[in-house]
Amino acid sequence: AIFDAVEIDGTEVTRASVHNLSIMEKLELGLLDSISIIKANQVIPQIEENFTRSNNLIIPDKCPACGGYAMIDQLNDSKFLYCTNPDCSAKIIKKFSHFVSRDAMNIDGLSDATLEKLIDEGFLETFDDIYNLDGHEDEIINLEGFGKRSYEKLIAAIEKSRTVKMENFLYALGIDEVGRSASKTISKYFNGNWFAFEGAIINNFSFGDLNDFGTTTNRNIYDWYNNSSERNMWIKLTYILNFIEPKQNINAVDLLGKVFVVTGSVNTFKNRNELEELILSMGGKLSGSVSKNTSYLINNDT
């Protein structure tokens, strides 16, 4: 939701998350409504109340990017709007954008605009094509907004990404409901060994038995694995990449069984990832939201 700027806890806020149709329906949102805003957990802007409840938004039946049919689906008691076209241009760009993002493969220089150009030129069809971009040097240098220096920096970032942690690679693949926290949990269980993870799938390992996992996540992992085009793509990537296996922390028992939620700024560390990795290395668990199972909430270095 985009609205007139308001100040909350010392920061100016102009946007709030409205991440599914059920929230829109519950709040009866519409254009020019008057709303109140809060920060959930003092971090995430959310709409608390809609005073005018115009409910005048028309839910599209076609994708604005590709014109494909838009479908409403139900997931865990919430409604979501999907484009049904698997070849939707927006989906393809966002898949690549997720793959190269900081918490995934961390390839600097591949913005959505740059990805769109490279996809339109036919240089990128699957993720492994990223590691063959050096075969298009002259064409890329001559693209609008590029040059020799930009190309060299991009190739250097791609080469650097060849060495990666399993958790980052797993997150980069974009498996449904396997986000950062779930990827870290899986990587920790298999000690960062991708091939142990793959072997577990072959032997019908139940991922639903892992902490905070369920039957849906387990099914999504196996649906992804059984997709032949997906499997062929990441098999190619495993020959390209070098996986970093984490060192075992001898103090792992210190936080065994404790559940942490990390929000806000953590200036004692370089970033939140560094703190989360320390928690996991010491036997702790991570959660994306506060619940009755939360042991500690770490917010803004407190």
Side-chain angles (χ1 to χ4, degrees):
I2 303 173
F3 43 83
D4 293 337
V6 293
E7 186 173 314
I8 305 177
D9 296 333
T11 60
E12 189 176 88
V13 179
T14 58
R15 296 171 183 259
S17 174
V18 184
H19 53 274
N20 62 50
L21 292 181
S22 295
I23 292 176
M24 291 176 58
E25 291 176 351
K26 179 182 177 182
L27 292 168
E28 296 181 320
L29 291 173
L31 299 177
L32 303 180
D33 277 342
S34 295
I35 59 177
S36 64
I37 303 295
I38 62 171
K39 276 190 176 181
N41 295 328
Q42 297 181 314
V43 177
I44 304 171
Q46 290 185 358
I47 298 174
E48 182 180 38
E49 181 59 273
N50 181 7
F51 301 110
T52 45
R53 292 184 173 266
S54 66
N55 198 28
N56 63 17
L57 292 179
I58 298 174
I59 306 303
D61 58 4
K62 290 186 178 180
C63 171
C66 71
Y69 175 64
M71 178 187 70
I72 296 175
D73 198 9
Q74 191 94 10
L75 179 64
N76 297 331
D77 300 323
S78 295
K79 295 179 182 177
F80 293 84
L81 185 67
Y82 295 96
C83 170
T84 58
N85 177 13
D87 298 318
C88 172
S89 58
K91 282 186 179 182
I92 293 170
I93 291 170
K94 284 302 177 184
K95 283 181 180 179
F96 273 96
S97 180
H98 175 78
F99 183 82
V100 304
S101 63
R102 184 183 66 181
D103 294 325
M105 299 303 292
N106 192 23
I107 304 176
D108 192 29
L110 285 176
S111 65
D112 283 9
T114 299
L115 286 169
E116 187 172 0
K117 290 178 184 178
L118 297 175
I119 291 169
D120 287 344
E121 291 291 331
F123 301 154
L124 296 180
E125 293 183 8
T126 57
F127 295 150
D128 55 293
D129 289 333
I130 292 173
Y131 296 92
N132 296 315
L133 284 176
D134 54 356
H136 304 283
E137 179 177 355
D138 292 338
E139 299 100 312
I140 293 174
I141 288 175
N142 290 317
L143 287 176
E144 183 181 353
F146 259 84
K148 182 72 173 177
R149 180 60 180 154
S150 297
Y151 168 80
E152 289 174 347
K153 288 175 66 176
L154 173 59
I155 296 301
I158 291 172
E159 289 303 307
K160 184 178 179 181
S161 75
R162 288 177 184 267
T163 301
V164 65
K165 294 179 181 178
M166 173 188 162
E167 65 190 56
N168 296 80
F169 178 59
L170 185 58
Y171 175 61
L173 293 174
I175 304 169
D176 286 347
E177 294 197 25
V178 181
R180 286 179 55 207
S181 181
S183 297
K184 288 180 178 180
T185 298
I186 294 172
S187 180
K188 183 175 182 348
Y189 186 87
F190 294 103
N191 194 33
N193 188 319
W194 173 266
F195 301 102
F197 163 69
E198 185 181 344
I201 296 177
I202 294 171
N203 289 292
N204 296 314
F205 178 80
S206 175
F207 292 92
D209 295 337
L210 298 181
N211 184 59
D212 292 333
F213 282 40
T215 55
T216 301
T217 304
N218 186 69
R219 183 179 66 250
N220 288 341
I221 290 173
Y222 278 94
D223 285 347
W224 158 80
Y225 180 81
N226 291 323
N227 183 318
S228 59
S229 60
E230 291 279 348
R231 186 165 63 250
N232 290 338
M233 180 269 298
W234 60 252
I235 286 175
K236 289 180 182 177
L237 284 169
T238 58
Y239 285 103
I240 294 170
L241 304 175
N242 301 307
F243 291 102
I244 306 169
E245 294 192 13
K247 296 178 181 178
Q248 292 296 303
N249 192 319
I250 60 172
N251 297 317
V253 70
D254 291 355
L255 302 180
L256 196 62
K258 304 294 184 183
V259 179
F260 291 78
V261 176
V262 183
T263 67
S265 301
V266 283
N267 298 320
T268 306
F269 295 83
K270 286 190 297 186
N271 51 48
R272 280 164 55 178
N273 280 350
E274 186 180 72
L275 172 58
E276 290 174 348
E277 288 172 8
L278 177 62
I279 291 170
L280 290 172
S281 73
M282 297 182 71
K285 301 173 182 178
L286 296 171
S287 177
S289 59
V290 176
S291 70
K292 64 180 181 180
N293 297 319
T294 302
S295 306
Y296 298 98
L297 168 64
I298 300 177
N299 179 29
N300 296 319
D301 278 344
T302 59

